[in-house]
């Protein structure tokens, strides 16, 4: 946790006393809200941002590192319902990939931004879950609607099947949505820096799953 949380702090501009302003903190909490609470209206999002600042700063107009660290850990505990360090670190690392971007700096100074890549894994229980176009009736029963902000990312989806259950026409499907490391090996002549992801490119939690299902539905219709 003492490694995962400071990555966010490093993205905040700070004054000579090493404290962050509300404007800087709001950049982070606004991105958090778009990932974790996607689809909020502008007014709802601002309410969340205001509440986050009041809780983090405790009535002051600046934020020290200690207060920031406690706030980020509190957020991780709330969303994971856990105090286990490995669980908190996994959550904070996953969230960081969603709200930040990795910028590669070549030897000639040219910069390129790396988009996050999501892996969506669907898994059935007590039944056969098949991704083939000939057996996707379970997908056709889903009604998907997204009225919030879209994101910018690439996607890989995969399906696991389990057996031993008669075909009753009802299937249950569980899913996981995780990010992959945005880059592989970097050449010695290249540099790396992290920046906040543009707000309009933030992908809300669950959006990649919806995209994967929509892709499968279109594939089924074509098949």
């Amino acid at each position: 946790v003492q490694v995962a949380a400071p990555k966010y702090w490093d993205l905040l501009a700070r004054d000579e006393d090493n404290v962050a302003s509300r404007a800087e903190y709001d950049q982070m909490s606004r991105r958090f809200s778009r990932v974790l609470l996607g689809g909020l209206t502008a007014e709802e999002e601002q309410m969340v941002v205001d509440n986050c600042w009041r809780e983090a700063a405790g009535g002051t107009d600046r934020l020290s590192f200690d207060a920031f660290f406690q706030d980020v850990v509190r957020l991780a505990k709330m969303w994971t319902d856990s105090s286990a360090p490995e669980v908190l670190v996994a959550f904070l690392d996953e969230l960081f990939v969603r709200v930040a971007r990795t910028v590669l700096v070549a030897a000639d100074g040219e910069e390129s931004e790396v988009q996050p890549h999501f892996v969506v894994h669907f898994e059935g229980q007590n039944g056969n879950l098949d991704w083939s176009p000939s057996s996707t009736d379970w997908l056709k029963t889903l009604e998907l609607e997204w009225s919030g902000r879209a994101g910018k990312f690439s996607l890989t989806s995969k399906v696991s099947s389990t057996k031993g259950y008669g075909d009753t026409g009802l299937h249950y499907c569980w899913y996981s949505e995780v990010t992959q490391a945005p880059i592989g090996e970097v050449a010695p002549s290249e540099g790396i820096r992290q920046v906040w992801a543009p707000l309009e490119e933030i992908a809300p939690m669950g959006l990649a799953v919806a995209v994967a299902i929509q892709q499968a539905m279109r594939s089924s219709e074509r098949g």
Side-chain angles (χ1 to χ4, degrees):
V1 177
Q2 295 190 12
V3 174
K7 291 190 297 186
Y8 297 95
W9 180 254
D10 290 341
L11 293 182
L12 302 181
R14 305 182 295 278
D15 64 16
E16 63 276 7
D17 296 323
N18 196 36
V19 296
S21 67
R22 173 171 181 173
E24 286 297 312
Y25 177 85
D26 282 0
Q27 289 194 69
M28 182 184 73
S29 58
R30 195 174 300 280
R31 285 164 171 80
F32 285 179
S33 70
R34 295 199 181 186
V35 171
L36 302 171
L37 301 169
L40 296 179
T41 65
E43 292 76 15
E44 291 169 337
E45 182 180 277
Q46 187 59 50
M47 185 180 301
V48 170
V49 170
D50 292 342
N51 289 338
C52 287
W53 174 255
R54 281 194 293 269
E55 188 169 1
T60 66
D61 60 353
R62 301 192 304 170
L63 193 67
S64 67
F65 174 75
D66 288 343
F68 170 87
F69 184 85
Q70 293 173 14
D71 178 66
V72 171
V73 172
R74 181 170 58 247
L75 174 83
K77 288 181 177 179
M78 179 180 70
W79 280 94
T80 61
D81 193 26
S82 175
S83 296
E86 63 274 14
V87 175
L88 302 182
V89 169
F91 172 82
L92 291 174
D93 285 347
E94 175 80 12
L95 184 59
F96 188 80
V97 175
R98 293 172 179 265
V99 301
R101 291 291 181 267
T102 298
V103 177
L104 302 180
V105 184
D108 60 2
E110 182 178 354
E111 296 186 349
S112 58
E113 187 177 285
V114 182
Q115 297 297 331
H117 183 84
F118 293 148
V119 176
V120 177
H121 183 197
F122 296 96
E123 185 171 0
Q125 185 175 27
N126 296 330
N128 295 324
L129 186 59
D130 194 342
W131 200 255
S132 67
S134 61
S135 179
T136 52
D137 288 342
W138 67 276
L139 288 172
K140 296 179 182 178
T141 66
L142 296 174
E143 295 182 2
L144 300 172
E145 180 179 357
W146 184 257
S147 59
R149 302 173 179 87
K152 187 175 181 181
F153 56 90
S154 56
L155 171 68
T156 297
S157 59
K158 58 181 180 178
V159 172
S160 293
S161 297
T162 56
K163 299 181 179 180
Y165 190 79
D167 186 5
T168 63
L170 178 64
H171 297 275
Y172 295 92
C173 180
W174 282 257
Y175 72 84
S176 62
E177 176 188 295
V178 297
T179 55
Q180 284 186 332
I183 59 173
E185 296 183 359
V186 179
S189 59
E190 293 181 323
I192 300 177
R193 62 187 181 91
Q194 304 284 350
V195 298
W196 288 122
L199 285 170
E200 66 274 10
E201 293 184 6
I202 298 293
M205 194 79 73
L207 180 61
V209 174
V211 172
I213 293 175
Q214 289 171 337
Q215 289 176 346
M217 292 176 69
R218 288 194 294 269
S219 176
S220 174
E221 293 169 355
R222 290 194 299 268

